[in-house]
Amino acid sequence: MRIGELAERAGVSTRTLRYYESRGLLPGRRAVNGYRVYGEDDLRLVEQIRTLQDFGFGLEETRPFVECLRAGYPAGDSCPASLEVYRGKLVELDALIGRLRTVRAQVEAQLLRAATEAPEAAEPQCNLGGRP
């Protein structure tokens, strides 16, 4: 298939595919007429990259998964290097969750403080444009 068909089937732009090629994630095979040509395996590579990016993985983090598929494994996460990337991402996510819990607790404390200090039935005062 040509680049336009791969882009359509994978749900990405041709520019994205060229970028993946420039980064060495997608093979750059050309037909005798000079057009880029791709196969079903290339579609699997792009789908793997997109899925991981949807999960928050950076483009370079997808490389071990792509290399695993290229090596002939049935899934991109069948290789030890891919498992290491998963482990690293879990550590990163756990740290982010911890930070979010801290921020949530701070916001909740601010809300409780503000709610207890706020006058109950005070009418808001607004002087926009000199009107009472």
Side-chain angles (χ1 to χ4, degrees):
M1 76 184 92
R2 291 187 20 202
I3 193 168
E5 182 182 351
L6 177 61
E8 184 177 325
R9 289 181 63 190
V12 299
S13 67
T14 57
R15 183 178 179 192
T16 297
L17 295 177
R18 286 187 203 97
Y19 181 68
Y20 291 169
E21 183 181 323
S22 75
R23 301 297 308 221
L25 294 169
L26 192 61
R29 294 183 302 271
R30 295 195 181 254
V32 292
N33 60 7
Y35 292 133
R36 288 176 171 88
V37 290
Y38 302 97
E40 293 298 318
D41 289 344
D42 299 318
L43 176 59
R44 286 186 60 217
L45 291 177
V46 175
E47 289 172 341
Q48 178 77 80
I49 293 167
R50 298 304 299 167
T51 297
L52 290 168
Q53 286 189 312
D54 287 346
F55 291 162
F57 287 74
L59 190 58
E60 277 306 307
E61 290 175 309
T62 69
R63 189 172 300 281
F65 298 86
V66 168
E67 290 172 356
C68 193
L69 284 172
R70 280 189 182 161
Y73 288 90
D77 57 6
S78 301
C79 299
S82 302
L83 298 176
E84 271 309 303
V85 173
Y86 275 154
R87 287 183 187 101
K89 185 55 75 176
L90 285 174
V91 168
E92 181 184 318
L93 290 170
D94 287 341
L96 181 59
I97 290 168
R99 286 194 303 270
L100 287 172
R101 283 188 178 133
T102 300
V103 169
R104 187 196 186 287
Q106 291 170 342
V107 169
E108 183 177 36
Q110 287 294 99
L111 171 63
L112 291 172
R113 182 202 51 77
T116 58
E117 292 176 3
E120 288 296 321
E123 193 65 32
Q125 300 284 323
C126 183
N127 265 336
L128 294 177
R131 294 185 214 130

